Amino acid sequence: MSWLRLIRSHRVGVATFHRLLGEHGTARTALEALPGVARAAGVARYDPCPESAAISEMRAGQACGARLLCLGDPDYPASLAEIPDAPPVLWAIGDTTILARPTVAIVGARGASALGTRMARRLAEGLGAGGFVVASGLARGIDAVAHAAALATGTVAVMAGGVDHVYPAENAALARDIAARGVRLSEQPPGLEPMARHFPQRNRIIAGLARAVVVVEAAAQSGSLITARIALDQGREVLAVPGHPFDGRAAGCNMLIRDGATLVRGAEDVIAALAGTPARPEAAPAETPPPAAVAASPAEDRRGWRDQAALHRQILDRLGPSPVAEDQLIRDLALPAARVTPELVMLEMEGQIQRAPGGLLSRV
């Protein structure tokens, strides 16, 4: 309950959650410290998420048949737990034991071609036969085809909104099948309708679950390329299916291959590419992250929030109404991507910046 309250508190994103937990040892202690930390950072009248709101979310999850997984739980995906911005909580509907198996993500265009959908189907079937679970985002096009083809062998659908809110609605029947034979995941509260800012957050989970991300069809500016870039930042393999140079739906894949992604002709190419990557061990029962050895002092609390506020100012100062590429912004800031990306997500959630296709950012 305390974990849920902490991550749902205003201005507490994933990066802040992990920092507060490390500084204060437990979520309950962090919640008690939050108002003082906020005052020290210049935020007056700060109240953490009330217990009643967390209880309401728990009841909503139970009502839709979902289960809450916290980082450190035995069924929490071990691969996802490795990334710096791992979701503290996940809502899951379906067979969570699937999350312990090796996973490959298949992503691509919503307006996929007949050849693209055929390729996605064959890839998903071949990977399933090879012992891999297929993860994707339950979007129309490549995602939906990959999920459907992997139902018999295992599939994970990561949702941008609540785990019970199927988007697009045309995939409702597929979503029911995945809940019955696979698993649906979301870090958002049940019932939440997805917004544009939720999709990049979802994409990092798709990449984090997988040992590799395969892009089947993607335009030069597409969400699939965002997923591929996130996968590279996370140290995952990135592979792409080539396409005709005149087909705009293949432009993104051809760019990835040009820049070093592994060319894919079939599932055997993916399996061969992963053969040199050590298989992740079966998820061992993990414990809740240990408390910090020494509790953070008020000065450290203020410094953490002030550092975050200073970085937010730097980001906003470099952005205007004209979109800027995210990777260019990170280079301009001269900071690690793992440090900047969570803050971009937080600013996006707060409505201060907006994201356009192709990884472009602008100030609202």
Side-chain angles (χ1 to χ4, degrees):
M1 184 70 70
S2 295
W3 275 47
L4 196 57
R5 288 182 61 202
L6 183 58
I7 190 58
R8 301 300 186 229
S9 293
H10 180 58
R11 294 184 65 87
V12 177
V14 173
T16 303
F17 177 97
H18 290 304
R19 185 168 64 250
L20 288 171
L21 200 64
E23 291 174 349
H24 297 282
T26 68
R28 181 178 296 277
T29 306
L31 283 166
E32 293 171 354
L34 262 180
V37 173
R39 282 195 302 273
V43 179
R45 298 180 182 177
Y46 182 91
D47 292 314
C49 172
E51 186 173 337
S52 59
I55 292 173
S56 296
E57 181 172 338
M58 293 290 290
R59 288 174 176 167
Q62 293 170 358
C64 67
R67 175 185 170 194
L68 185 66
L69 302 178
C70 292
L71 181 63
D73 286 350
D75 285 344
Y76 190 98
S79 179
L80 185 61
E82 297 174 356
I83 68 174
D85 52 350
V89 298
L90 290 169
W91 284 104
I93 298 179
D95 182 7
T96 56
T97 63
I98 288 175
L99 300 173
R101 293 170 50 194
T103 301
V104 172
I106 297 177
V107 297
R110 288 171 171 81
S113 68
L115 283 175
T117 55
R118 188 187 310 171
M119 184 64 173
R121 185 177 301 109
R122 290 186 178 177
L123 279 172
E125 291 172 346
L127 289 168
F132 290 92
V133 171
V134 171
S136 199
L138 197 59
R140 63 172 59 93
I142 297 298
D143 289 22
V145 170
H147 284 308
L151 277 173
T153 51
T155 189
V156 181
V158 185
M159 306 174 73
V163 72
D164 58 338
H165 190 99
V166 179
Y167 178 85
E170 66 196 59
N171 285 342
L174 176 60
R176 287 193 294 270
D177 289 341
I178 294 172
R181 305 170 68 181
V183 63
R184 298 190 338 231
L185 292 179
S186 176
E187 66 177 329
Q188 304 298 341
L192 181 71
E193 184 175 349
M195 302 178 68
R197 65 175 180 266
H198 296 144
F199 289 91
Q201 299 171 50
R202 177 204 64 178
N203 293 348
R204 91 181 192 287
I205 297 177
I206 294 173
L209 287 169
R211 291 174 58 190
V213 172
V214 183
V215 185
V216 177
E217 281 187 337
Q221 295 182 344
S222 72
S224 298
L225 293 192
I226 295 174
T227 307
R229 185 171 64 251
I230 293 171
L232 286 172
D233 290 341
Q234 294 175 352
R236 275 38 174 172
E237 295 284 334
V238 173
L239 309 93
V241 176
H244 195 284
F246 290 167
D247 188 346
R249 288 168 296 198
C253 292
N254 292 339
M255 288 167 52
L256 288 172
I257 295 169
R258 180 199 63 192
D259 294 339
T262 300
L263 185 148
V264 173
R265 299 162 298 176
E268 61 278 1
D269 286 336
V270 182
I271 295 171
L274 290 174
T277 304
R280 300 186 185 279
E282 289 294 324
E287 298 179 355
T288 301
V294 180
S297 67
E300 289 172 326
D301 287 339
R302 290 193 297 271
R303 186 167 60 251
W305 281 66
R306 284 173 178 168
D307 288 348
Q308 182 186 47
L311 178 53
H312 286 189
R313 285 195 298 271
Q314 291 180 54
I315 292 171
L316 293 173
D317 287 346
R318 283 170 169 77
L319 292 177
S322 299
V324 174
E326 180 177 340
D327 53 357
Q328 181 61 54
L329 173 65
I330 293 172
R331 285 196 296 270
D332 290 345
L333 291 168
L335 292 171
R339 174 75 177 90
V340 178
T341 301
E343 305 308 326
L344 293 176
V345 173
M346 183 178 296
L347 289 170
E348 190 178 1
M349 292 176 67
E350 293 175 352
Q352 298 192 62
I353 65 174
Q354 62 184 3
R355 191 181 298 269
L360 299 176
L361 303 170
S362 60
R363 185 169 179 173
V364 176

